Amino acid sequence: MMMKIIGIDPGLAATGVGIVKGTGLKIDGFSFGAINTAKNTSLPNRLEHIYSNLLSILKDEKPDLMVVEDVFSLPQYPKSGITLGRVTGVILLAGCRANIA
């Protein structure tokens, strides 16, 4: 059975998106890109941009499964984990709204 899986790498400046289609261990196609946001835009607007663009991708591509990279932060940048948590939240919401497992 052919499956389509979308993988998301959360990021405020750039959220990575990759799609793989295939059957078993055979890959029949893939694509990738990013949802970019501008540094001079407010956090709520950046989150909404990520959410709305990802929701559009999910509705167009109709993947069978969505995987999202875990949130982490480096000791020297503890606030980055909080920001990535916010980005991950809107990603999970988009997946839920598009009924993607």
Side-chain angles (χ1 to χ4, degrees):
M1 175 174 90
M2 174 81 80
M3 270 196 93
K4 186 186 284 190
I5 301 171
I6 187 166
I8 312 293
D9 178 9
L12 187 59
T15 290
V17 179
I19 299 172
V20 178
K21 294 182 280 189
T23 306
L25 297 176
K26 183 175 182 275
I27 294 174
D28 296 314
F30 67 92
S31 60
F32 57 91
I35 301 168
N36 298 300
T37 67
K39 211 174 205 174
N40 61 349
T41 305
S42 72
L43 177 62
N45 286 331
R46 292 173 87 176
L47 294 173
E48 196 283 327
H49 180 78
I50 294 166
Y51 169 79
S52 61
N53 279 264
L54 181 58
L55 185 59
S56 177
I57 292 167
L58 294 173
K59 288 182 175 183
D60 288 346
E61 292 292 334
K62 298 176 179 54
D64 300 298
L65 180 68
M66 180 173 82
V67 293
V68 182
E69 184 179 335
D70 279 341
V71 172
F72 68 93
S73 63
L74 300 172
Q76 61 267 41
Y77 305 110
K79 288 185 179 180
S80 66
I82 295 167
T83 300
L84 286 177
R86 291 171 169 164
V87 173
T88 300
V90 300
I91 290 168
L92 296 175
L93 178 60
C96 181
R97 289 283 165 91
N99 293 313
I100 310 298

